[in-house]
Amino acid sequence: MFQMTHLFLQKTGKIYVSIRDIAQYVGYEAHNGEYKIDVEDTNKMYVEAKDGTETTSFFLNSTTISKVAPDTTDDYENVIIPEPVTSINGKMYIVGEGFIVGFNSLLSYNSEENQITIQTLPNLLEQYTARIADYGYTQISEDFNNQKALIYGMIVASKESTEKFGVVSIDGTEILSPRYNNIEFVESTGEFIITNSSSKVGIAYTDGKTKITVAYDEIKVMDSELGLYLVKSNNKYGVIDSSETTIIYIEYDQIGIDTTLFPADNIKNQYILYDKIIPAKINEKWRLFDTSGNRITEVEYDTVGFVNEDDDVVENNALTIGETGTVVVGVAEKYGGIDVKGNELIQIRFDQIFSETNAGQTKYYILYNGTEYDAIEYINAMKKSLGYEEEENETNITPDEGNDEAQGTDQDGNELDTNAIANQVANVVEITD
Amino acid sequence: MQIEQDQPTIVNPNQKKGPKTATIIAVLIIVTIVAVIGIIFAILSMQGKKLTVSVDGVQVSVPDDTFIFTEDR
């Protein structure tokens, strides 16, 4: 019924685009799998702009697409699209609105003429560069993120005479007057981070109204869906929500983890682990908060994540343990794991917690007195002993991914002998006591 | 006085049937042609114009079957 050459589909009145096939027409290269993850996965695809500006990852049946500048440590920007990525005859298709976001190109369909018109960002940039002087500005911002505002019908531009930035719509209507030292377009929220002449930062809506007071030293979007912002003031960090309510007081030395230390864990959001746990450091100790600002444990930890200082080892550092919802923590050079509910699923008694990657598969281990134990089996057995199974059948921690422990399988997909593991856990605990 | 009688009309049954059959066949042919044309128009109207795709103002060459309608599955 369907052939492999289908570039477009019309389904329930909406245009869908084949991600792989369209890429060549709009200056992108398409690849299987996820960006930076060396595993072939037919449920994921990413496209890479040939001009090196951006990569976009697409996930089957998901409405979230992840964008990041290639070869940088920038945070991933997750943008929500109206319809999930779908698969037909093994090919991944994205709805027209998703194409616009994923490929930074406009797309329209004229049904009478049966014509699809695409305009790429470089072409838009060229078009409006020629027109920007008519709007009273000297040039369009050279920042790529700001240039993406063109896709959404807005132009971030500056005036040479004042060196100030403002925002106008593509028809020339003023959105933000040209009085800011800097403006940064945030694609995931459709907002602008604005910096005034006193170098204070706030957030403005796309209608020009101020959303978050221009009073902070720095602002970053932590999670656009949850509406959480990381703010910095007087060299301290805190978290506020979109109505500027304080979630975590601005009194912490650091919020979030340097995820470049944990590349094997493939962490998308350094500030909110498993979409639920916010690590915050104060006076050299770490506290764990939920996204409402409540501490999930009263314990203060020396470290969050296990980092092996020995450069010669093949083991990976570990911050999160697969899809178990467990974060590695350490106290006095002993390591354990805390889950999103604040339960200690791995007691803080082990010498190391690490992972090993073999043929694209990452397995997690805990080490005690030179003996390695399977970390996920340990966690599964601990969850069972805590009565997690019934709850997790109803509430999956990671709905987009397979959840091994809910299915009663180990890291290799084998069925778990939970009794044996429970005994193993009991033995380990006994040993450590 | 001789009364003139009308000559009875001799009707050749073969002659009478001939024109009727021809008419029916002609009508059938016309109807068939109209139906075929109608079907062609119907198919054409369903298919619409050939899809064209332009990128940055330039029409690009795409495969003929590049666009397809599909129902929810």
Side-chain angles (χ1 to χ4, degrees):
Chain A
M1 179 178 171
F2 299 103
Q3 294 176 26
M4 294 305 286
T5 53
H6 295 146
L7 190 55
F8 300 102
L9 293 175
Q10 195 177 53
K11 187 178 175 187
T12 58
K14 292 194 169 195
I15 299 293
Y16 281 74
V17 186
S18 163
I19 295 169
R20 176 173 298 285
D21 295 330
I22 197 67
Q24 60 178 310
Y25 293 102
V26 291
Y28 282 77
E29 281 181 7
H31 309 274
N32 283 340
E34 189 176 353
Y35 179 61
K36 279 190 174 173
I37 308 293
D38 295 330
V39 179
E40 286 287 318
D41 187 341
T42 52
N43 291 332
K44 297 173 183 173
M45 278 192 79
Y46 74 94
V47 294
E48 202 165 12
K50 287 179 183 170
D51 61 7
T53 48
E54 196 169 63
T55 67
T56 307
S57 296
F58 304 90
F59 311 97
L60 187 62
N61 298 325
S62 173
T63 54
T64 300
I65 60 179
S66 296
K67 307 178 84 177
V68 69
D71 302 323
T72 64
T73 56
D74 291 356
D75 300 324
Y76 281 81
E77 194 158 12
N78 292 327
V79 187
I80 306 299
I81 57 174
E83 302 288 340
V85 173
T86 187
S87 173
I88 295 172
N89 270 7
K91 290 176 75 176
M92 285 171 66
Y93 285 82
I94 189 164
V95 72
E97 293 95 325
F99 164 82
I100 291 170
V101 177
F103 289 88
N104 294 320
S105 301
L106 296 180
L107 179 144
S108 61
Y109 174 56
N110 183 330
S111 57
E112 284 184 10
E113 295 297 323
N114 201 19
Q115 182 175 39
I116 287 178
T117 305
I118 293 170
Q119 191 174 13
T120 62
L121 183 56
N123 188 262
L124 274 168
L125 195 59
E126 192 180 323
Q127 178 185 342
Y128 286 100
T129 295
R131 214 184 281 183
I132 198 67
D134 299 340
Y135 301 157
Y137 286 86
T138 312
Q139 65 171 28
I140 295 177
S141 169
E142 291 177 346
D143 181 272
F144 176 69
N145 282 324
N146 284 342
Q147 291 177 351
K148 285 194 289 183
L150 274 163
I151 300 294
Y152 302 88
M154 298 173 288
I155 309 170
V156 182
S158 61
K159 286 191 169 191
E160 193 175 26
S161 56
T162 59
E163 294 185 338
K164 301 285 185 186
F165 287 84
V167 179
V168 288
S169 69
I170 55 173
D171 62 6
T173 307
E174 186 174 88
I175 294 171
L176 291 174
S177 60
R179 61 192 173 101
Y180 296 101
N181 281 16
N182 192 37
I183 291 178
E184 182 187 337
F185 177 62
V186 184
E187 187 179 17
S188 59
T189 58
E191 298 163 348
F192 295 98
I193 296 176
I194 48 180
T195 307
N196 68 11
S197 55
S198 307
S199 296
K200 293 295 180 188
V201 179
I203 286 188
Y205 286 115
T206 50
D207 62 4
K209 290 179 183 167
T210 300
K211 177 178 179 179
I212 290 175
T213 317
V214 187
Y216 302 97
D217 296 331
E218 281 179 29
I219 293 184
K220 269 190 165 183
V221 177
M222 288 175 68
D223 189 304
S224 55
E225 281 183 81
L226 296 170
L228 294 179
Y229 298 85
L230 175 72
V231 290
K232 181 183 179 186
S233 200
N234 298 323
N235 278 326
K236 296 290 182 186
Y237 294 89
V239 178
I240 60 173
D241 68 11
S242 51
S243 58
E244 221 171 336
T245 303
T246 298
I247 302 297
I248 297 175
Y249 287 105
I250 308 173
E251 56 188 28
Y252 288 85
D253 303 316
Q254 182 180 341
I255 287 180
I257 305 293
D258 177 6
T259 49
T260 59
L261 293 169
F262 309 97
D265 291 343
N266 188 28
I267 295 162
K268 297 261 180 1
N269 189 326
Q270 67 181 101
Y271 306 111
I272 310 178
L273 306 174
Y274 292 113
D275 296 330
K276 287 187 169 65
I277 300 176
I278 302 173
K281 190 179 187 184
I282 185 168
N283 298 330
E284 300 300 321
K285 295 285 184 185
W286 287 92
R287 297 173 181 172
L288 301 180
F289 293 86
D290 65 18
T291 53
S292 300
N294 304 309
R295 286 180 66 179
I296 62 170
T297 71
E298 289 305 313
V299 181
E300 293 188 334
Y301 305 99
D302 294 337
T303 60
V304 175
F306 171 78
V307 177
N308 200 322
E309 305 293 347
D310 185 354
D311 291 337
D312 295 334
V313 298
V314 295
E315 293 90 1
N316 307 314
N317 299 334
L319 171 59
T320 55
I321 301 179
E323 306 299 336
T324 62
T326 308
V327 173
V328 176
V329 292
V331 176
E333 297 189 352
K334 294 294 179 187
Y335 298 89
I338 304 296
D339 79 343
V340 295
K341 298 174 182 175
N343 289 326
E344 201 175 277
L345 294 187
I346 301 176
Q347 291 178 311
I348 306 173
R349 296 178 170 189
F350 293 91
D351 301 321
Q352 294 184 5
I353 298 178
F354 58 90
S355 69
E356 288 179 358
T357 305
N358 202 340
Q361 296 293 315
T362 300
K363 289 185 177 181
Y364 289 84
Y365 298 94
I366 49 181
L367 182 73
Y368 179 77
N369 275 352
T371 305
E372 289 179 6
Y373 298 88
D374 185 312
I376 290 184
E377 285 186 2
Y378 186 105
I379 289 168
N380 288 341
M382 189 61 90
K383 282 183 174 178
K384 189 180 180 191
S385 71
L386 291 172
Y388 271 37
E389 280 192 344
E390 293 79 8
E391 290 177 44
E392 289 191 352
N393 283 337
E394 295 168 9
T395 311
N396 197 330
I397 295 168
T398 51
D400 289 342
E401 306 285 347
N403 193 350
D404 284 340
E405 80 276 0
Q407 297 163 9
T409 57
D410 66 9
Q411 299 182 66
D412 296 322
N414 302 317
E415 278 197 21
L416 291 178
D417 181 347
T418 48
N419 288 333
I421 296 162
N423 289 334
Q424 186 187 34
V425 172
N427 291 336
V428 173
V429 173
E430 199 176 325
I431 288 165
T432 57
D433 276 338
Chain B
M1 182 177 174
Q2 193 177 355
I3 299 171
E4 266 188 48
Q5 285 189 331
D6 288 341
Q7 289 283 330
T9 306
I10 299 168
V11 177
N12 182 342
N14 290 333
Q15 281 182 342
K16 200 173 183 182
K17 278 183 184 173
K20 274 192 177 174
T21 305
T23 306
I24 290 167
I25 289 170
V27 168
L28 281 175
I29 289 170
I30 291 166
V31 168
T32 306
I33 290 169
V34 169
V36 169
I37 291 170
I39 290 167
I40 290 169
F41 268 102
I43 291 169
L44 286 176
S45 65
M46 281 173 71
Q47 287 189 332
K49 295 179 181 176
K50 184 180 181 301
L51 179 78
T52 56
V53 180
S54 72
V55 177
D56 294 338
V58 179
Q59 191 164 322
V60 296
S61 173
V62 293
D64 282 344
D65 61 347
T66 196
F67 194 49
I68 195 161
F69 291 79
T70 181
E71 294 173 358
D72 261 348
R73 298 198 293 180

